[in-house]
Amino acid sequence: MAARLDAGGWQVSTDADGADVVLVNTCGFVEKAKQDSIETLLAAADTGAKVVAAGCMAERYGKELAESLPEAQAVLGFDDYTDIAARLDGVLAGERFDAHTPRDRRELLPLTPVARQAAKVVVPGHATVDEHTPAHLRKVLRRRLDNGPVASLKLASGCDRRCSFCAIPAFRGAFVSRDPQELLAEAEWLARSGVRELVLVSENSTSYGKDLGDPRALEKLLPQLAAVDGIVRVRASYLQPAETRPGLVEVIATTPGVAAYYDLSFQHSSEPVLRRMRRFGSTERFLELLATARKLAPEAGARSNFIVGFPGETREDVDELVRFLSEARLDAIGVFDYSDEDGTEAVGLDGKVHEDTIKRRFSRISDLADELCAQRAEDRLGSIVEVLVDSIADGEVEGRSEHQAPEVDGSTMLVAGDEGVDLAALRPGDFVRARVTATEGVDLVAVPVGMISAAPPAVAATAAS
């Protein structure tokens, strides 16, 4: 959207002060995220600018959102994205747009994955500027909104899984991969703009390539991305345990430049709960997967999310989850309390857990997660970690180690020591080795002991300013 707006003559910024139009990219996943989106839209209206709602919540609710939120001049769905600049031109001119009636976007694409690439359907984050030009030679349709050393790289959109608690496939659509050559071209473009770490994102990264006729496409792509000049680390996110093949585990653990980091969507570990969730696995199978990764890379990082209070969950199921968490040694754990989501199978399941019980279980698992993650951080005391410097403010140098993804995990604070690296000389984008000397919850404190790769001077100066 930012690239299309820029090409359409709009000046794009993350600062709403003085803006003519504020475009809010909403989230429609869980209740808290939806409420945050509403609050952001209302706050945008207070600026006096014209307000436009886009993103997943806008797509998911369409007319319903428009009718309940008169503060927004327009509610735009995914089909509006290709003409987003013209839509905002209209909003600025005082036009009113009729919001769309939501539909199941899975029905827009062929059921057979390999037939989807040829379909003429708007898929968020996918755009062929010129279909007659080879993917690696096409113009990169992207406009960065910051100049930091980390950027996401979208692998795919949509999901073919049918988890009973999740509404995402209905409004994001069926799974569609991006062309690997297009991804490599965008990675090179990002590297030229100063990006040092790529975070690969999608609804399900382990499905990448299945619609391209190559289920091992991610295993092949990771080393290629890591070899892009200027990129020092590539991180894969959103891995489905049931689809995480041994070959992918090995590539992530052993490829230079690829973070030995496993963002695995476990959701629970009790087999009965997982089956009701329409998912696969168990405590033993998940522990075996983690053990396989750590056999190849003993210091590998791992994170996951879990839902407590799912319909039918018993005390024994919660105890099983506690057993798994206690043995899994995860670096970061996200805990969510179950709530019914419109249009999902779980809404109609029996065995609903009482709200007070859900709150107690959420509190119990959250407290345990904090304790276990802090212990896991302490396990890294004395070890050498590779840290990408993210920011420097008021003399504090903050970055992330290999097991720390941006925004969702902890961070590493670099402090002065006697081991050869001048802390004052470090800049955002520098990649250093550091010795862990202390922990603060999930965060690490470390002394830099050697430079691995310095940020390009021009880029470092821009980021520091």
Side-chain angles (χ1 to χ4, degrees):
M1 284 194 291
R4 285 175 165 138
L5 288 169
D6 187 65
W10 283 83
Q11 182 179 347
V12 185
S13 170
T14 57
D15 185 359
D17 289 344
D20 298 301
V21 178
V22 176
L23 178 67
V24 179
N25 190 26
T26 61
C27 180
F29 181 29
V30 293
E31 192 59 38
K32 184 179 185 302
K34 288 184 283 188
Q35 187 58 43
D36 287 346
S37 295
I38 294 294
E39 291 173 0
T40 303
L41 286 162
L42 293 175
D46 289 340
T47 67
K50 295 181 182 296
V51 177
V52 174
C56 290
M57 187 178 181
E59 171 63 35
R60 184 177 180 185
Y61 294 102
K63 285 187 175 180
E64 181 184 346
L65 178 62
E67 291 169 359
S68 62
L69 196 74
E71 291 85 354
Q73 274 67 42
V75 173
L76 304 181
F78 296 158
D79 290 336
D80 293 305
Y81 282 18
T82 53
D83 297 316
I84 189 72
R87 296 290 187 275
L88 264 62
D89 288 342
V91 167
L92 192 60
E95 295 180 31
R96 300 292 297 191
F97 294 93
D98 290 332
H100 66 285
T101 299
R103 54 185 170 174
D104 190 332
R105 294 192 72 86
R106 290 171 294 191
E107 299 173 357
L108 302 179
L109 288 163
L111 185 63
T112 304
V114 293
R116 294 172 188 165
Q117 292 290 324
K120 302 299 182 182
V121 174
V122 175
V123 180
H126 299 235
T128 300
V129 179
D130 178 5
E131 62 184 11
H132 302 295
T133 301
H136 67 287
L137 297 177
R138 296 173 191 157
K139 178 183 177 182
V140 174
L141 190 63
R142 181 154 182 176
R143 161 78 153 75
R144 293 194 71 202
L145 298 178
D146 62 50
N147 56 10
V150 184
S152 61
L153 181 61
K154 187 179 183 68
L155 285 177
S157 184
C159 184
D160 288 340
R161 301 189 71 85
R162 294 295 181 266
C163 300
S164 61
F165 57 83
C166 185
I168 287 177
F171 60 85
R172 294 292 295 187
F175 186 88
V176 183
S177 302
R178 293 182 64 197
D179 186 291
Q181 294 304 315
E182 186 178 297
L183 290 170
L184 287 167
E186 186 169 334
E188 291 169 356
W189 181 88
L190 287 167
R192 291 195 296 272
S193 74
V195 170
R196 306 277 276 161
E197 178 176 331
L198 299 172
V199 181
L200 309 185
V201 298
S202 72
E203 280 78 19
N204 178 7
S205 297
T206 38
S207 282
Y208 179 72
K210 73 174 188 178
D211 54 323
L212 302 174
D214 186 0
R216 295 186 60 226
L218 184 57
E219 298 170 35
K220 300 173 183 176
L221 179 65
L222 283 168
Q224 293 176 292
L225 291 171
V228 170
D229 187 34
I231 298 299
V232 297
R233 189 156 66 195
V234 179
R235 184 184 304 277
S237 298
Y238 310 123
L239 307 176
Q240 284 288 343
E243 298 179 27
T244 305
R245 298 168 298 279
L248 179 59
V249 174
E250 182 176 357
V251 166
I252 291 174
T254 63
T255 304
V258 175
Y261 171 85
Y262 296 85
D263 178 7
L264 293 156
S265 177
F266 290 132
Q267 302 300 347
H268 214 285
S269 72
S270 170
E271 283 193 78
V273 175
L274 287 166
R275 296 303 173 269
R276 289 170 70 87
M277 288 180 169
R278 301 287 188 199
R279 297 176 68 85
F280 303 95
S282 65
T283 293
E284 302 308 330
R285 289 175 65 181
F286 292 162
L287 289 174
E288 182 180 351
L289 174 57
L290 291 169
T292 299
R294 287 167 176 152
K295 184 176 181 180
L296 295 166
E299 298 302 318
R303 83 171 322 273
S304 191
N305 296 319
F306 299 88
I307 298 172
V308 295
F310 190 79
E313 183 188 64
T314 66
R315 283 178 290 181
E316 290 75 19
D317 294 324
V318 177
D319 289 341
E320 183 68 2
L321 177 57
V322 168
R323 181 171 80 89
F324 170 71
L325 293 174
S326 300
E327 297 182 30
R329 298 169 59 232
L330 299 173
D331 294 276
I333 299 170
V335 183
F336 296 88
D337 49 342
Y338 172 80
S339 62
D340 285 337
E341 277 295 311
D342 300 336
T344 63
E345 180 186 352
V347 170
L349 291 178
D350 58 10
K352 291 293 175 67
V353 181
H354 193 275
E355 186 176 338
D356 290 341
T357 302
I358 293 178
K359 289 181 179 178
R360 287 196 302 271
R361 292 177 181 177
F362 174 80
S363 179
R364 177 189 177 190
I365 299 300
S366 296
D367 290 346
L368 176 65
D370 290 344
E371 179 183 346
L372 292 172
C373 291
Q375 291 176 4
R376 178 63 176 145
E378 290 174 358
D379 290 342
R380 299 185 184 276
L381 282 170
S383 67
I384 298 294
V385 293
E386 296 183 347
V387 180
L388 178 68
V389 177
D390 280 338
S391 64
I392 299 175
D394 299 325
E396 292 189 344
V397 182
E398 188 172 11
R400 289 171 299 100
S401 302
E402 189 174 27
H403 68 282
Q404 296 169 327
E407 299 182 7
V408 294
D409 299 340
S411 63
T412 299
M413 186 69 67
L414 295 177
V415 296
D418 301 321
E419 302 194 55
V421 174
D422 181 5
L423 197 69
L426 291 178
R427 295 292 181 266
D430 285 344
F431 195 43
V432 302
R433 289 188 182 86
R435 186 182 308 281
V436 180
T437 57
T439 65
E440 297 177 2
V442 297
D443 299 328
L444 305 182
V445 178
V447 174
V449 298
M451 180 71 73
I452 302 173
S453 174
V459 172
T462 301
S465 65

